[in-house]
Amino acid sequence: DIEMTQSPSSLSASVGDRITITCRASQNINDFLNWYQQRPGKAPNLLIYTASRLQSGVPSRFSGSGSGTDFTLTISSLQPEDFATYFCQQRHSVPITFGGGTTVEIK
Amino acid sequence: QVQLQESGPGLVKPSQTLSLTCTVSGGSISGGTDYWSWIRQPAGKGLEWIGRIYASGSTTYNPSLKSRITISLDASKNQFSLTVSFVTAADTAVYYCTKNPDWGSTFDSWGQGILVTVSS
């Protein structure tokens, strides 16, 4: 199985901050990497697919980059609704696997 | 916009079989080119992909669960289902049904999730 490791596991930030979340794959997954946002008590919501493509309807303050084994999710200016947990997911190989999540909390 | 809704019992006894159904609206489960997957999430933990079924009925399962799970679809009801046999407390989780396009396992539509607790 491909192991996905996210860092940090949690972070505290303020509205307006720029934040970056990292995801590392245990082997080369090219750009087969997706990012999801999950608010408490809700289902995950697709933000970014194929490493850098913004899902329709997702604000442009979200961006993704990377290829191979190292990927990042950046939020350019945190908004109140962005305080949530973020997961990366590889779709290179079965079984599909997810990172452990990064919780973004209000400072 | 496709909508998905999970249904099933919220409590299952250890060693018994967990059965869930996902009802799809706004799109045909068998007429398109999408995959339909189940994903679960234990409380406070990460996401685990369980398996998927294609419109043709072909399935792919997570090897870690393969011996205990079955995913099937009922085109006449526009539903797909999950069964997990011989459940234990480790199967307690929120179960989500999802859709992804045939070009890749990108989960672009999710049900709201259903909490299943395994307890006697």
Side-chain angles (χ1 to χ4, degrees), chain A residues 37-107:
Chain A
Q37 176 193 67
Q38 185 177 34
R39 297 190 176 107
K42 299 295 186 181
N45 181 53
L46 177 66
L47 296 175
I48 302 283
Y49 64 97
T50 315
S52 61
R53 300 185 180 191
L54 196 66
Q55 173 70 350
S56 175
V58 174
S60 60
R61 63 181 179 271
F62 292 92
S63 64
S65 65
S67 66
T69 61
D70 294 314
F71 302 86
T72 59
L73 172 70
T74 298
I75 308 175
S76 61
S77 177
L78 267 176
Q79 298 302 300
E81 60 268 31
D82 300 337
F83 292 93
T85 300
Y86 295 85
F87 294 95
C88 61
Q89 171 239 322
Q90 66 82 17
R91 62 177 184 86
H92 179 275
S93 307
V94 169
I96 297 154
T97 49
F98 294 82
T102 297
T103 299
V104 178
E105 299 169 328
I106 301 173
K107 183 182 287 184

Side-chain angles (χ1 to χ4, degrees), chain B residues 1-119:
Chain B
Q1 178 75 2
V2 170
Q3 294 188 320
L4 301 93
Q5 177 70 59
E6 304 88 351
S7 59
L11 181 64
V12 182
K13 289 182 167 49
S15 80
Q16 294 191 344
T17 297
L18 177 164
S19 296
L20 298 175
T21 296
C22 182
T23 301
V24 178
S25 58
S28 171
I29 198 172
S30 60
T33 57
D34 295 312
Y35 284 89
W36 307 91
S37 287
W38 288 95
I39 292 170
R40 69 182 184 180
Q41 184 175 35
K45 296 188 178 180
L47 299 156
E48 181 179 33
W49 177 75
I50 298 170
R52 69 187 178 202
I53 189 164
Y54 190 56
S56 63
S58 66
T59 54
T60 307
Y61 298 139
N62 190 323
S64 69
L65 298 167
K66 186 175 182 177
S67 64
R68 298 194 296 126
I69 61 173
T70 302
I71 298 175
S72 60
L73 69 80
D74 185 336
S76 66
K77 295 181 179 178
N78 221 36
Q79 296 175 332
F80 64 106
S81 299
L82 168 71
T83 62
V84 183
S85 58
F86 304 108
V87 297
T88 70
D91 294 307
T92 294
V94 175
Y95 286 74
Y96 295 102
C97 58
T98 70
K99 177 186 82 67
N100 62 264
D102 64 347
W103 53 261
S105 299
T106 295
F107 306 108
D108 58 8
S109 296
W110 295 66
Q112 64 183 26
I114 183 169
L115 174 63
V116 179
T117 301
V118 178
S119 175

